[in-house]
Structure formats: C-alpha cells, structure tokens
Amino acid sequence: MIKEKANTTLTFEDFKVEVLNDYKTAMISRECSLLGRREVLTGKAKFGIFGDGKEVPQLAMAKFFKNGDFRSGYYRDQTFMMAIGELTVEQFFAGLYGSTSIEKDPMSAGRQMGGHFATHSLNEDGSWKNLTQQKNSSADISPTAGQMPRLLGLAQASKVYRQVDGIKNKENFTVNGNEVAWGTIGNASTSEGLFFETINAAGVLQVPMLISVWDDEYGISVHAKHQTTKENISEILKGYQRDENAKGYEILRVKGWDYTDLITTYEKASSIAREQHVPVLVHVNELTQPQGHSTSGSHERYKDGERLAWEREFDCIRQMRLWMIAINIASAQELNEIDADAKKQVLEGKKAAWAAFINPIVAEQKELISLIEKLAPASTNKEAILNLVSQLKGTKDPLKKELLITARKSLRLLLNENGQAELAQWITEYIKKTQPNFSSHLHSQSDLNVYSVAEVLPTYNENSQDDADGRMILRDNFDAIFTKYPEALIFGEDSGNIGDVNQGLEGMQEKYGELRVADVGIREATIIGQGIGMAMRGLRPIAEIQYLDYLLYAIQIMSDDLATLQYRTLGKQKAPLIIRTRGHRLEGIWHSGSPMGMIINAIRGIHVLVPRNMMKAAGFYNTLLECDEPALVIECLNGYRLKEKTPTNYGEFKTPIGVVETIKEGKDITLVSYGSTLRLVEQAARELQEVGIDCEVIDLQSLLPFDIKQDLVKSVMKTNRLLVIDEDVPGGASAYIMQQIVEQQDAYKYLDSKPQTLAAKAHRPSYGTDGDYFSKPSTEDIYEKVYEMMNEANPAKFPKLY
C-alpha cells in the first residue's frame, strides 16, 4: 500500500524496503490473475479479465496518486487498486465469484464483473464523505473508452474549485483544486471516438487530467497495425503537444517494464498536471498480456512464437526482478521467498473468499432440502419431488438460482396438497430476501431522492397582468439558481456568450463568468461526461444538449455510465447531473425528432421530465437541485415565445416529479399526452366539447418516474375510455405509457372500449409546416381519433365522419 509521505527524501534502506514492497504487491496481483483464471476455468467464477502484464507501471502510477485524486479507469487496474490500499486479495476473489455482499465485494456487491473498481464516496445515509481524505476511484464500466468522458469532468472539477468562490462544503471535495483525475485505457480503445473527443476537450479546457495508455500492441486478437495509424498513439497525437506558442498536452513515453523510468515519468507527469493544470498523456508501451485478453480464449491463437518469446523476456515483473538483482536490492533467493509468500497469501485469500461466498448458500441448500424432504412423503408426487431433491443434493457448489429452480419445480408437484403453503412461503420469503441483492439502488434511496421535495406553486403579484415569453421565465429562474447555488454551473453549445439558441440564458455568462456559464464545442458525449465527473465531485452541473435529436450522440454514456452509477455501486457513488435539452414540434427533420421510446428504455436510472411549458421546466430545475439524482429535462422547442404569467418566487417554486396534472376534467374519455403535443390535445378537446364529447385531458409531466399517485387509472375509472397521444414513432413512448396505465395500474378493468394510441408516422418528421402536419399528430387527427372511438360507443349520436 502506498502511503503519502511528508518527507520524500529516502535513504537507500527506505528505497529498498519500498521497492521490495512494490515487488510483493506485483507478485500478489500476478498470482491473483493466474489463480483467478483457474477459478473461471474450473467453473467457480463465470468470467475473468485481469491486469497481468500491467503491474509495474501501475505501481509507479500509484506512488503519485494522492488523497482527493480520482481514477477513471480500465478493467485491468487491479495492481493499482491494491497499491493504493483499496483492493485486497479476498475482495478481488469475492468480486470474481459475484458476491452480493458490499462488505465482501466493495467494488460493486457482485453487480459487475471482476476488474471493475470503485471506492465509496457516500456515507450510509447517502451524504458525501470527505473525498479529500481518501483516494477515489469512480466506478468502472466495460464499454471501451466509455470511462473517458467522465474523466474530463472529474478533472474539470478541480479547475472549477480552484477558480470559483463561494462554493458550499468545498472542503469535502477539494484542496484548492490540486486534485488530479487519472485515466487509464488500453491502446486499442484509443481508436474509439470517445477517446479523441475527450483528448480534444481536455486540451481546450486545460484541466488536470493524466491519461495512461497501456500499450501491449493488441486489442483482443487485433494487432495495432489494424487499430492505430503508425501503430503508435503518442506519435499521432504529436499535434497536441504544448509549446511556447500554444497550450496543449504534455505527452510522455515510457517502456512498461522499466521500473525506475516509470517512476521518473509519473513523478513528472503528476507534477505538471497537479501544479499547472495541464493535461498529460503517458504512453506506456512494450507491455505484455501473459494470459491474453480474458478467460474467453487463448492468445496463443493469434500471437506468433516470436511475439510470445518476447513477452516472456520482457514481462514487466521479470524485468523488475532482474534489475533488483543487478543493483543488489535483493538476491534471487530473497525474491523467491517473496514469490512463495505471495502465492501462499493469494491462495489463502482465495479460499477465504470462496468460503464466505459458498457457505451461506450451502446452508440455504440444506435448509431447503430439509423442508422438501419433510413435505415429500405425504405427496402423491413423492418420487418426482425426491428426484429433484437428489439432484440438488448432488450439487457441490450450488447457486441461489439452483435452489429456486428446485423449490419452484417442487411447488408445482405439491399443488393443492398440504405442503404447498409452507413451500410457497419459503420461496416467497427467499425471493423477497434475495431479489434486492440484484435489483436495489437503481435510484437514490437517501432522503434526498426526488420524492422528498414537496411541490411549491408559483406566486404572483396581486392583480398582476404581466405576461412574459417563456424563455424569460427560464432566464430569470436560472439567474435565481446561480445566485442560490454557487456550486451550480451550466455548459453547452451556444450556452454562454449568446445565452443559448433560445435566449434562456441571456446575460448569464456576463453576470456569472465563463466557468459557470460556458460555451463548449460540438461534442455531446463529453458534454455529458463533463457533467458526470463534476457531479461525482460535489458540484451541481447542468449539461446542455442543444437539441433532443443530438442526444443520440450521448445516449451510450447516459445509458452505460450515468444511469447505472447508483445501481452498480449499491448506492456508494452518485452523480446528480441535470441534462437540459429541447425538442418536439420544430419544423425540420433533424431538430424535431422525439425518440422518447429509445430514451426511456435506454436510460432507466435517470429521470425523464417532459414539461409542457417553461414555468413547469423551471420548476423541475428547482426541484432537482434539492435532490441527489440525475435527470433529463426536455423543454418544448415551440414554447420559448409563448406568453406565460410572471412569478415572484423565482428559484423557489417546484414542479413535483412523477405526478401528473389534470388540465381539463371530463367524463367521456381520458386523453393522455405531454410536452408540445399537449397544446394540440387541449385544442382538440375544446372542439370536441362543441359536439358533446367531454374529454379529460391529463399532462404526464414526467415519463420516468410515471404517475406515482396512479391518478391515470382513477381517470379511466370515470371515463372508461383511453387514448394516448404521442409524437414518437408508433409503439415508442406511447406503448410504454399504455403498458403503465393498462397493465401496471390495472386500468383494463374499467375500459368499455379498446384503449388506443395516436403516434407520429414511422419516419422522421418531414421539413416545413406541411412536413410537421403530415408527420405528427395534428389537432384534426386527435379530434377524429376520439370521435371514431365515441362513434363505436354511440353510433347514433356520433355518426361516422368517413
């Protein structure tokens, strides 16, 4: 374990002790990799991906990783995590086995594969720990280069903390912005667009980011010649190298087997990043991967004999060993003793981890067998039940799945017999106890979740007749937000100088500065990444994606990283990022899409809010800033110039999340919609009223969460008819809404006719006013669909139109 030292001057004895400790850590890590692979191949673990071959550079990196720093890494960084004292042998194997105990596997409680690391940023109640007093690792994800956008935000937080005054509880997150964000990535993954997008953005922003590229020449079986121009990532990034005329990167190269040069290189790199806030790229080449990519296959299939021989010769631990012997730090015999001790320590740790994992399941296995054997003799299906029990008894290392399979199959055989109730109770209680281990913490379970904030209505001056454009409501509310929350900041394309494309931020940059109201480049994925990283360090960022259609560039980061963060850390990390965008009903193919079905199904774990006007949108921002959960707010593109009444309590009024609003009461049919389309629904309802059809119109306001008070089914109980109107493609968001109402809320019980949806056409909306009319539901479409449904109910009163 690397500990920070007040005095960095070492005697030779001190140096020797530190080197030997490093060597032992490297050997422990290597033995974990070797034994971990065997555990997978023998079936005790499902899959393994290990850090063998990367041990020595990670030891060097760990020496300069300080309290308060953050890692955003690659799934081969086990040696680094061991070196900073955040991963033990037992924890390594607990993760490999998939232990659902957060104490045994503090990385993810079995929710991620081994090799995916995290530290705990939160206390048990969901409040922040003091992150400056610990070494921090943001929770890893598998998608290659997916860790890069978040890294940008982790680094930018240091810049914000160094330059912005007045931030509350700043001392929990920073020491004068001196923290470095350390990224790691494999050489093949540098081919991903996310890597290049992050590299460019960090160079522009000049943030303390230090990226290590672990280069072993391969991406699974594909050689670097098929991956990277010139087969050399640092060579092709030369244009980013800073000089006396322009800011940029410091780019350093070092061989991954050279212990002393690695230490020198990382000392220089960390000093530049920490003190100067200059991004640094360290290209660590001539690395090896002794066991190949993962347990899914052997690297002997794609590496020739010459390469394999070179890898054996230049294995970083072997080279470190030869160096230690050459300069008399240790003899071969002393190192052999360390090797033997490391093997013993890993073997004992593995055994302890396996016992902790399997023994509780074996106890449950015995309990179930005892129960079923007690019930079986009285059953008419005794032999079949005992056969199931026999199979379970023969399972040496049972899984919880196998217990439930046996129990549930036995229950079928006990149907209508005396033992049915007792076994059914065991199954019900077992699932109730076990399911949360796999399904909890999709959202915050702290007292700061979105349901903790009560609605606060806008207030108005008495007898005030003042109306303002919707964009002015937003602008003045953002003004109140930035005054109230010094830790709040917003950034996006055209968000700064011109105050966003619809002037909702007019004058804000001039008032609050370029760091808090910022323009950024056209790079949606890293806009979201900036927000994730800064939110993980205690800031309250609002990341603006200019148009809803452009969210597709960022959906992978939102889905794989932000949406899963609370879940994959069992609530030990959070990123309460607010994503602001605008969409719906603009007249053009690329700015008027509404891919809501894709969004709500891809980002479970992020709230999706769809306000019908800017007052409601502003209220959502006010609510979210009192919560600790991420959300996407979609403003109506055609609502910025619509007049709204001017409130007096900017920054204070709050729109409740997950609560629908009845816009118009009615008795004949329930019409459900949201956003811009709702205004068309309201107009159609007025026209239908003229012919005697009384519509109840309900604004969903949020899609995730959905109608937590179940007001929609109450409406259907009254009207007995349901039409969902949506501008997504057929079967998109409308299908989700219908499923929630009819299935989840059991509204089918109260329907007198088929529930229906009215969606847009299957294609993208065509250009122009006519394009909109013929692509998306119009007032006339809504009118005629409702009229058709009423014609079915009462053809005499409502004769066919066509």
Side-chain angles (χ1 to χ4, degrees):
M1 174 178 174
I2 303 298
K3 293 184 177 179
E4 293 181 21
K5 300 171 183 173
N7 183 358
T8 57
T9 303
L10 293 178
T11 66
F12 180 77
E13 256 333 286
D14 291 334
F15 176 66
K16 177 178 177 179
V17 169
E18 184 165 329
V19 172
L20 289 173
N21 282 337
D22 281 350
Y23 179 77
K24 183 173 183 179
T25 300
M27 285 305 303
I28 288 171
S29 179
R30 177 64 62 89
E31 284 301 317
C32 283
S33 297
L34 296 172
L35 191 52
R37 182 180 179 85
R38 287 199 288 273
E39 292 297 275
V40 174
L41 297 180
T42 58
K44 285 185 176 179
K46 194 73 175 177
F47 177 81
I49 193 160
F50 306 113
D52 46 305
K54 316 296 188 295
E55 293 91 351
V56 174
Q58 290 181 26
L59 291 168
M61 184 172 81
K63 291 182 184 298
F64 305 99
F65 189 88
K66 295 186 176 182
N67 285 347
D69 287 359
F70 260 88
R71 166 189 167 276
S72 183
Y74 175 45
Y75 41 69
R76 299 194 189 279
D77 291 347
Q78 71 198 45
T79 310
F80 172 82
M81 295 298 291
M82 290 176 174
I84 65 170
E86 293 295 337
L87 180 67
T88 67
V89 172
E90 289 87 348
Q91 290 166 352
F92 173 90
F93 283 100
L96 191 66
Y97 299 139
S99 171
T100 56
S101 164
I102 193 67
E103 289 75 26
K104 301 290 191 303
D105 174 25
M107 304 301 140
S108 75
R111 295 185 174 189
Q112 298 217 84
M113 295 180 291
H116 294 70
F117 306 113
T119 53
H120 296 179
S121 300
L122 306 179
N123 297 307
E124 288 302 312
D125 63 357
S127 62
W128 291 104
K129 292 185 173 186
N130 188 325
L131 302 184
T132 69
Q133 295 178 0
Q134 64 182 46
K135 295 177 172 66
N136 303 286
S137 175
S138 59
D140 292 338
I141 57 176
S142 281
T144 54
Q147 73 273 29
M148 290 291 105
R150 177 205 326 146
L151 174 66
L152 179 67
L154 292 169
Q156 190 181 3
S158 291
K159 183 174 183 178
V160 172
Y161 279 126
R162 182 174 285 187
Q163 298 187 28
V164 175
D165 295 326
I167 296 176
K168 294 175 287 188
N169 301 317
K170 189 174 182 176
E171 63 278 3
N172 279 351
F173 303 103
T174 190
V175 179
N176 194 36
N178 292 333
E179 300 76 26
V180 173
W182 301 67
T184 63
I185 189 169
N187 60 293
S189 296
T190 64
S191 299
E192 293 276 14
L194 293 175
F195 173 80
F196 283 98
E197 192 172 313
T198 303
I199 287 286
N200 181 61
V204 170
L205 291 171
Q206 289 292 285
V207 291
M209 183 173 88
L210 199 166
I211 299 178
S212 297
V213 179
W214 306 142
D215 188 352
D216 57 28
E217 287 195 20
Y218 285 85
I220 307 183
S221 66
V222 180
H223 190 268
K225 66 186 177 183
H226 303 297
Q227 305 268 9
T228 309
T229 302
K230 299 184 179 181
E231 300 180 32
N232 189 323
I233 188 62
S234 58
E235 180 69 19
I236 65 174
L237 291 177
K238 273 184 177 178
Y240 286 92
Q241 176 66 52
R242 63 178 180 157
D243 56 34
E244 63 276 9
N245 299 315
K247 295 178 179 179
Y249 273 74
E250 188 65 32
I251 299 177
L252 306 173
R253 301 169 187 82
V254 61
K255 291 177 172 56
W257 47 264
D258 191 329
Y259 178 78
T260 57
D261 200 16
L262 282 160
I263 292 173
T264 301
T265 300
Y266 275 107
E267 182 176 32
K268 177 181 179 181
S270 63
S271 175
I272 292 170
R274 196 177 307 279
E275 296 168 14
Q276 301 177 41
H277 274 200
V278 168
V280 182
L281 183 136
V282 180
H283 183 191
V284 185
N285 58 15
E286 294 194 17
L287 282 171
T288 68
Q289 202 152 280
Q291 298 186 115
H293 175 74
S294 71
T295 54
S296 294
S298 170
H299 63 152
E300 281 87 357
R301 293 181 301 161
Y302 52 84
K303 291 177 183 174
D304 61 25
E306 183 179 354
R307 173 67 192 189
L308 291 169
W310 182 90
E311 290 201 5
R312 288 189 291 272
E313 175 71 19
F314 283 90
D315 182 293
C316 62
I317 295 180
R318 180 178 185 277
Q319 287 294 320
M320 182 180 180
R321 180 187 177 94
L322 292 173
W323 168 78
M324 291 166 68
I325 294 170
I327 66 168
N328 295 319
I329 285 180
S331 66
Q333 182 179 346
E334 290 173 310
L335 296 178
N336 288 340
E337 290 173 359
I338 292 175
D339 294 352
D341 186 57
K343 288 176 185 286
K344 179 182 178 183
Q345 184 175 333
V346 172
L347 184 60
E348 290 175 351
K350 188 271 295 185
K351 289 179 179 178
W354 178 248
F357 173 75
I358 200 64
N359 288 348
I361 306 177
V362 170
E364 293 170 340
Q365 177 192 35
K366 291 176 179 177
E367 174 191 319
L368 177 61
I369 288 170
S370 176
L371 173 61
I372 298 177
E373 285 183 334
K374 182 187 78 171
L375 301 176
S379 173
T380 56
N381 295 308
K382 173 184 174 182
E383 289 187 10
I385 294 172
L386 291 178
N387 184 51
L388 289 170
V389 171
S390 177
Q391 292 175 30
L392 184 59
K393 278 184 175 180
T395 305
K396 182 183 177 184
D397 298 320
L399 297 174
K400 295 176 182 181
K401 166 189 172 181
E402 292 164 327
L403 271 60
L404 273 174
I405 288 172
T406 300
R408 293 164 98 170
K409 287 186 174 180
S410 297
L411 183 67
R412 302 173 199 168
L413 297 171
L414 288 168
L415 193 63
N416 294 323
E417 295 184 350
N418 289 336
Q420 179 186 354
E422 191 172 356
L423 183 55
Q425 183 180 1
W426 187 94
I427 294 169
T428 301
E429 290 177 356
Y430 190 79
I431 292 174
K432 183 179 179 181
K433 175 184 73 173
T434 307
Q435 189 67 53
N437 293 334
F438 301 92
S439 301
S440 69
H441 291 89
L442 179 61
H443 296 286
S444 170
Q445 296 185 9
S446 80
D447 291 338
L448 295 174
N449 64 63
V450 295
Y451 307 121
S452 67
V453 182
E455 180 178 16
V456 177
L457 295 172
T459 58
Y460 305 97
N461 284 324
E462 191 175 351
N463 301 320
S464 173
Q465 301 297 316
D466 292 340
D467 284 342
D469 287 351
R471 64 101 184 171
M472 295 173 70
I473 305 291
L474 276 176
R475 179 199 64 189
D476 293 346
N477 194 71
F478 278 128
D479 192 6
I481 283 172
F482 295 138
T483 300
K484 183 177 181 180
Y485 300 99
E487 66 273 28
L489 61 158
I490 192 166
F491 46 93
E493 297 159 17
D494 300 306
S495 299
N497 183 43
I498 68 169
D500 88 38
V501 291
N502 296 103
Q503 298 290 280
L505 292 167
E506 180 188 22
M508 294 299 101
Q509 186 180 80
E510 184 177 358
K511 185 171 182 178
Y512 294 101
E514 293 185 7
L515 262 182
R516 293 191 64 198
V517 183
D519 287 311
V520 301
I522 300 176
R523 47 175 182 79
E524 286 76 11
T526 47
I527 291 174
I528 299 299
Q530 281 178 256
I532 296 171
M534 285 193 279
M536 293 184 78
R537 292 192 58 193
L539 295 171
R540 292 312 309 263
I542 303 172
E544 182 175 321
I545 303 299
Q546 194 165 87
Y547 295 108
L548 180 61
D549 303 70
Y550 299 166
L551 204 69
L552 273 67
Y553 285 99
I555 203 75
Q556 184 261 322
I557 295 302
M558 292 172 64
S559 180
D560 290 330
D561 197 352
L562 181 60
T564 67
L565 181 61
Q566 290 250 7
Y567 172 78
R568 72 181 190 272
T569 63
L570 201 72
K572 299 304 181 184
Q573 292 187 359
K574 63 183 177 182
L577 168 63
I578 300 171
I579 302 168
R580 179 194 185 205
T581 190
R582 51 189 67 82
H584 314 309
R585 310 303 305 208
L586 191 68
E587 297 174 355
I589 186 169
W590 301 118
H591 290 165
S592 56
S594 299
M596 300 304 301
M598 178 199 69
I599 290 168
I600 60 178
N601 286 305
I603 64 171
R604 300 296 171 96
I606 301 174
H607 298 305
V608 178
L609 312 179
V610 282
R612 68 179 181 272
N613 59 36
M614 301 310 153
M615 187 76 74
K616 292 290 185 178
F620 277 137
Y621 293 124
N622 296 338
T623 298
L624 290 167
L625 284 165
E626 292 194 6
C627 304
D628 65 354
E629 300 191 66
L632 170 67
V633 181
I634 304 169
E635 298 166 9
C636 294
L637 258 172
N638 60 6
Y640 294 106
R641 304 298 173 186
L642 296 181
K643 299 296 182 183
E644 299 188 44
K645 198 172 180 181
T646 305
T648 59
N649 57 338
Y650 284 112
E652 302 301 327
F653 60 88
K654 298 176 182 69
T655 308
I657 291 174
V659 178
V660 304
E661 182 177 355
T662 301
I663 306 300
K664 175 189 175 298
E665 293 191 357
K667 60 180 175 27
D668 292 329
I669 187 170
T670 299
L671 306 184
V672 177
S673 192
Y674 61 89
S676 297
T677 301
L678 193 73
R679 289 191 281 276
L680 304 183
V681 174
E682 289 182 275
Q683 177 60 33
R686 285 191 288 270
E687 295 175 9
L688 286 160
Q689 192 78 52
E690 295 172 1
V691 296
I693 300 175
D694 189 13
C695 302
E696 183 140 298
V697 179
I698 298 180
D699 179 10
L700 289 173
Q701 299 199 103
S702 71
L703 295 176
L704 297 174
F706 188 92
D707 187 20
I708 60 173
K709 295 183 178 180
Q710 299 214 339
D711 288 328
L712 289 163
V713 68
K714 296 169 190 172
S715 174
V716 175
M717 288 171 68
K718 179 172 59 173
T719 67
N720 308 119
R721 293 178 185 83
L722 173 65
L723 176 63
V724 174
I725 304 100
D726 173 56
E727 59 173 289
D728 194 2
V729 297
S734 58
Y736 161 77
I737 295 166
M738 185 70 77
Q739 183 263 346
Q740 289 288 307
I741 300 171
V742 174
E743 181 182 333
Q744 293 298 315
Q745 297 187 10
D746 287 342
Y748 72 92
K749 297 177 181 178
Y750 311 105
L751 290 168
D752 289 341
S753 61
K754 180 178 69 174
Q756 297 194 49
T757 63
L758 178 61
K761 298 296 187 286
H763 52 74
R764 288 293 184 101
S766 188
Y767 172 65
T769 301
D770 280 347
D772 175 79
Y773 188 83
F774 284 94
S775 299
K776 293 189 173 185
S778 64
T779 300
E780 289 70 36
D781 292 332
I782 299 164
Y783 181 103
E784 291 178 3
K785 173 64 78 171
V786 173
Y787 189 91
E788 177 188 336
M789 293 173 71
M790 296 306 296
N791 161 258
E792 180 187 37
N794 191 342
K797 185 175 180 181
F798 305 108
K800 284 189 175 183
L801 286 171
Y802 296 98

